[in-house]
Amino acid sequence: MNLGSILDGLMNSQGGAQGQLPPDIEQQQQGNFGNLPGDLASRIPGGLGGLAGGALLSMILGSNAGRSAGGSLLKAGGLAVLSAVAMKAYQDWQNRQAPGVNAGPANLPTQIPPGSGFHLGEETDSSGREFGVAVVQAMISAAKSDGHLDGQESSRIQDQIQKLGLGAEEKGFLMDAMGKPADAVAIARLAGTQTQATQLYVASIMAIGDADTPEERTYLQQLAANMQLPPDLVAHIDAQAGALRQGALQGTA
């Protein structure tokens, strides 16, 4: 399975049969994230940077401001953004720092070292599949946790997936992911290590945004519990992801 093709389909796709997005989603997607220091994409080498558009990703995430901020950060730096946030939170937790200290993009690692447990290019999930695919699964499942992707909207997104220039395996993966309900237990099973669990939780919280519904909060609690993430590590992840999202929303990160 080609992870790059899947991400390209999510982030570079054009919206709708006429190339249009719903106005609320289009407005969120056009926010100004140009103040990320030093250009976040170039600061995190190894990421799938330079991604633009993202109509399909925006449709999946919805128009919630916090979710749109997470989506725009992904378009700026690719999955490497998630890895950098996860590694920073994990290192701060290991070093017993207080959650939120030096949080934000300016203090994210600029490289993901091989052997660190956070390098997507060398990691596989619990089933032996490329770990980046599990990260995408986690994002889609989390985005569905508040129920905004009802049957009609999911069918609309699946129609758009069919129009993407993807291979059969990649297209089938996205169709399958969109067809399944949110399932924190199934996502938790994909993590083979604590560092992978940290990355899956980061992907999930970036997809959910502010977790302002009971369903979203319950989903994240179930995910953390099933991956046996320590509460203080979860606090570090929440602080790092929240600071990055808030900075992007304010355009002053």
Side-chain angles (χ1 to χ4, degrees), residues 104-238:
N107 295 298
L108 289 179
T110 57
Q111 293 185 353
I112 308 298
S116 63
F118 294 93
H119 197 288
L120 288 176
E122 61 185 21
E123 293 291 312
T124 56
D125 67 18
S126 59
S127 66
R129 189 169 59 179
E130 186 175 1
F131 186 65
V133 176
V135 172
V136 174
Q137 281 180 273
M139 290 169 53
I140 293 175
S141 179
K144 294 169 71 76
S145 64
D146 69 344
H148 82 278
L149 291 174
D150 56 18
Q152 182 178 4
E153 186 65 12
S154 291
S155 295
R156 179 170 170 254
I157 292 172
Q158 287 174 328
D159 287 342
Q160 295 305 310
I161 292 171
Q162 290 286 14
K163 297 172 184 177
L164 298 176
L166 298 177
E169 187 178 12
E170 290 75 21
K171 193 175 292 186
F173 163 76
L174 286 175
M175 293 287 287
D176 183 61
M178 285 306 308
K180 291 179 178 177
D183 190 341
V185 176
I187 296 301
R189 292 195 189 107
L190 298 174
T193 65
Q194 192 173 52
T195 58
Q196 290 185 355
T198 302
Q199 291 175 85
L200 292 181
Y201 190 88
V202 168
S204 300
I205 198 169
M206 293 295 282
I208 284 176
D210 297 323
D212 51 7
T213 70
E215 293 82 4
E216 291 168 334
R217 290 191 289 271
T218 297
Y219 181 90
L220 289 173
Q221 290 166 1
Q222 289 178 341
L223 182 64
N226 278 276
M227 294 192 300
Q228 300 182 13
L229 285 176
D232 48 347
L233 174 54
V234 171
H236 275 282
I237 297 170
D238 290 345

Side-chain angles (χ1 to χ4, degrees), residues 39 52 59 63 88 115 160 230 241 243 246:
D39 180 18
M59 290 169 67
S63 58
K88 179 68 165 65
Q160 295 305 310
Q246 191 61 35

Side-chain angles (χ1 to χ4, degrees), residues 79-118:
L79 295 188
V81 171
L82 304 181
S83 296
V85 171
M87 189 167 79
K88 179 68 165 65
Y90 193 80
Q91 289 175 339
D92 287 352
W93 170 69
Q94 285 187 316
N95 294 332
R96 300 182 182 276
Q97 293 187 17
V101 173
N102 296 322
N107 295 298
L108 289 179
T110 57
Q111 293 185 353
I112 308 298
S116 63
F118 294 93

Side-chain angles (χ1 to χ4, degrees), residues 19-37:
Q20 298 295 320
L21 285 171
D24 56 343
I25 296 179
E26 185 171 18
Q27 183 177 8
Q28 292 288 353
Q29 188 173 310
Q30 292 174 349
N32 175 23
F33 300 92
N35 293 322
L36 292 170

